């Protein structure tokens, strides 16, 4: 189960990266700096929010699985958010 969840994280990470590159190319230089910063903050948010979410299972065998599933879920949400940003940039 954990392997499947890890694969979901890798697949969604691979989907996020090209979207981030496309958005980066569409932004003005000052916005690029802010976008890169926001992506770093998002990665930190993903890690810390998932750590907090699975803390109730500290030391338990389910904790690693729940953590990876949380990351995959956060990635899917982020993909949607990036898609909306990309549509907005292309529309304007």
């Amino acid at each position: 189960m954990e392997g499947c969840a890890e694969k979901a994280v890798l697949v969604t990470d691979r989907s996020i990266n090209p979207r981030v590159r496309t958005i980066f190319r569409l932004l003005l230089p000052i916005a690029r700096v802010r976008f890169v910063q926001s992506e770093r903050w998002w990665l930190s948010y993903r890690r810390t929010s998932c750590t907090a979410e699975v803390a109730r299972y500290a030391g338990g065998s389910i904790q690693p699985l729940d953590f990876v599933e949380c990351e995959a879920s956060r990635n899917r949400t982020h993909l949607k958010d990036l898609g909306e940003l990309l549509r907005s940039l292309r529309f304007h």
Side-chain angles (χ1 to χ4, degrees), residues 11-28:
V11 167
T12 52
D13 277 345
R14 282 193 297 266
S15 296
I16 287 170
N17 292 334
R19 230 174 246 192
V20 165
R21 284 191 296 274
T22 300
I23 291 168
F24 184 83
R25 285 192 301 269
L26 293 171
L27 294 171
L28 296 174

Side-chain angles (χ1 to χ4, degrees), residues 15-81:
S15 296
I16 287 170
N17 292 334
R19 230 174 246 192
V20 165
R21 284 191 296 274
T22 300
I23 291 168
F24 184 83
R25 285 192 301 269
L26 293 171
L27 294 171
L28 296 174
I30 188 66
R32 288 178 177 174
V33 171
R34 292 179 180 146
F35 180 67
V36 168
Q37 185 179 46
S38 71
E39 283 301 293
R40 286 186 185 136
W41 287 341
W42 178 81
L43 286 169
S44 178
Y45 161 76
R46 181 185 73 174
R47 183 180 53 255
T48 56
S49 67
C50 288
T51 298
E53 186 172 310
V54 303
R56 64 183 180 263
Y57 301 120
S61 60
I62 193 73
Q63 186 179 14
L65 173 60
D66 213 33
F67 182 83
V68 176
E69 287 177 347
C70 176
E71 282 190 319
S73 175
R74 295 291 190 276
N75 277 4
R76 286 188 292 273
T77 300
H78 193 52
L79 272 168
K80 290 176 189 173
D81 292 341

